[in-house]
Amino acid sequence: MNAGRTRRRGAAAVLAAALLVAGCGSTPTPSSTPEDARVFTNPVVRSDAPDPQAIRVGDTWYLFHTNAVGRNVPVLTSPDLVDWTPAGDALPALPDWADAGKTWAPEVIQLAPDRFVLYYTVADRASGRQCLSRAVASTPLGPYADDSDRPLVCQADLGGSIDASPFRDTDGSLWLLWKNDGNAIGVDTWLWSQRLSPDGLRLTGPAAKLLRQTEPWEGTLIEGPFLHRHDGKLFLFFAANAYDKGAYAEGYAVCESPAGPCVKAPENPILRGNEVASGPGHASIVEHDGRTWLLYHAWPPGLEGATDPGRQVWLDEIVWENGRPVVKGPTGSAQPRP
């Protein structure tokens, strides 16, 4: 019995010595405790990843964002909406009519187990404007292929068309929302909607004007539309003001249908900059385990318009108070994970 205790003491001493030696020659790594695993701190993507949108397929989240680091449509994956890993370029090749370098605000919708459609903004060579197109893949990672011979939407006389956002309503109908890029030529910026064909590749019926810039906080433009139903009510989220300024912010409207009419909320903006994040906006929405989350980009305060680190991705919860969305953010402290 005494010999066993001696052997155990000796083993403990050797282990302690080994740990001490390991600690002397390296930088300590922060420990991960069960408490740490239950919380996260923004931003969840610390590199330049503007205009984020995410979908969930199986147990994996896929996040798409505006072109960066030489990729047309960068895609990241995550098991939990918090820890993101780069996963390549979802759209490695553009159609022949388009030029690279301005591939903005991609959004993806799943239409079948093996059918995903990506809508994105791209430079149209013929008009010299930003226009909308679409591409298809059999998996969420892609590669997505665009076989079009012209843009899907291109309102060249209204400054171009940007910020495409697909929406499937509860009746199964498919819709596409976008913005005419009026601020590029000094005219009004409208948010538009139009029905899509069941395969997601064609627009059908008339286009509807939903909203334009009318409020002082919006400056000269509104953009980044995103439709979301909650408890039967249809909400249209949108960003407004100059994207590279601290005044950029997020608001919403309530719509009778995807074709409108829509009425802006009197409490707008519901997400604005603070001491931890500047110019938050161009948001999309995800739901997970009964909670609603807002994915959006924001600048580090004082670095608006800078490319390093650029617009980072933030994740904050929306809570519903008396049927209205209230964003708990931008947050700089630890909060419970989704």
Side-chain angles (χ1 to χ4, degrees):
M1 188 172 178
N2 289 338
R5 288 178 178 171
T6 301
R7 285 194 294 271
R8 286 194 293 272
R9 288 172 183 157
V14 171
L15 178 59
L19 292 173
L20 180 62
V21 170
C24 290
S26 62
T27 301
T29 300
S31 62
S32 179
T33 67
E35 289 76 16
D36 294 333
R38 290 197 293 265
V39 300
F40 75 97
T41 304
N42 275 312
V44 294
V45 178
R46 297 180 180 271
S47 56
D48 189 33
D51 313 321
Q53 184 250 358
I55 63 170
R56 189 183 187 193
V57 182
D59 293 329
T60 302
W61 291 94
Y62 298 84
L63 184 149
F64 308 86
H65 66 80
T66 283
N67 59 260
V69 295
R71 293 171 177 158
N72 293 321
V73 176
V75 57
L76 298 86
T77 61
S78 172
D80 57 10
L81 287 170
V82 171
D83 300 312
W84 292 96
T85 301
D89 191 343
L91 186 69
L94 298 177
D96 291 340
W97 52 266
D99 290 327
K102 292 184 177 181
T103 309
W104 300 342
E107 294 195 12
V108 169
I109 189 170
Q110 183 177 8
L111 299 183
D114 60 350
R115 183 177 178 81
F116 300 83
V117 183
L118 165 75
Y119 300 90
Y120 66 102
T121 304
V122 69
D124 172 44
R125 191 176 305 117
S127 67
R129 296 293 180 191
Q130 291 291 95
C131 302
L132 303 179
S133 195
R134 82 295 181 275
V136 179
S138 58
T139 68
L141 278 178
Y144 290 80
D146 187 338
D147 62 358
S148 64
D149 57 9
R150 64 178 65 86
L152 179 65
V153 184
C154 193
Q155 299 160 302
D157 58 337
L158 297 178
S161 305
I162 69 172
D163 294 352
S165 182
F167 173 69
R168 189 201 296 270
D169 208 351
T170 50
D171 63 1
S173 62
L174 290 175
W175 297 81
L176 190 69
L177 287 84
W178 71 90
K179 164 207 174 184
N180 74 277
D181 201 18
N183 51 290
I185 60 172
V187 302
D188 284 339
T189 61
W190 282 92
L191 302 184
W192 300 72
S193 72
Q194 193 169 355
R195 284 193 69 152
L196 284 162
S197 58
D199 63 5
L201 301 184
R202 294 177 294 105
L203 292 166
T204 65
K209 287 181 174 181
L210 301 180
L211 297 173
R212 68 177 179 88
Q213 79 286 349
T214 57
E215 308 304 316
W217 73 273
E218 296 167 350
T220 61
L221 65 98
I222 60 174
E223 61 186 15
F226 192 92
L227 278 175
H228 176 76
R229 274 202 186 274
H230 180 80
D231 285 345
K233 205 171 182 179
L234 187 59
F235 296 86
L236 173 57
F237 291 81
F238 61 91
N241 220 300
Y243 81 94
D244 57 351
K245 305 297 182 185
Y248 199 64
E250 189 80 10
Y252 79 94
V254 177
C255 302
E256 289 188 16
S257 79
C262 303
V263 178
K264 294 177 182 177
E267 67 268 27
N268 284 339
I270 60 168
L271 178 71
R272 65 173 76 215
N274 58 19
E275 69 279 1
V276 298
S278 180
H282 203 121
S284 60
I285 292 174
V286 296
E287 291 186 331
H288 183 53
D289 288 344
R291 298 165 71 187
T292 308
W293 295 87
L294 199 70
L295 272 173
Y296 60 94
H297 69 231
W299 306 94
L303 293 176
E304 299 84 354
T307 56
D308 185 14
R311 287 168 283 177
Q312 303 168 309
V313 177
W314 291 63
L315 179 71
D316 278 308
E317 189 169 7
I318 293 176
V319 295
W320 301 91
E321 297 181 358
N322 299 318
R324 295 172 178 247
V326 177
V327 184
K328 300 298 186 180
T331 57
S333 57
Q335 60 180 309
R337 284 176 176 253

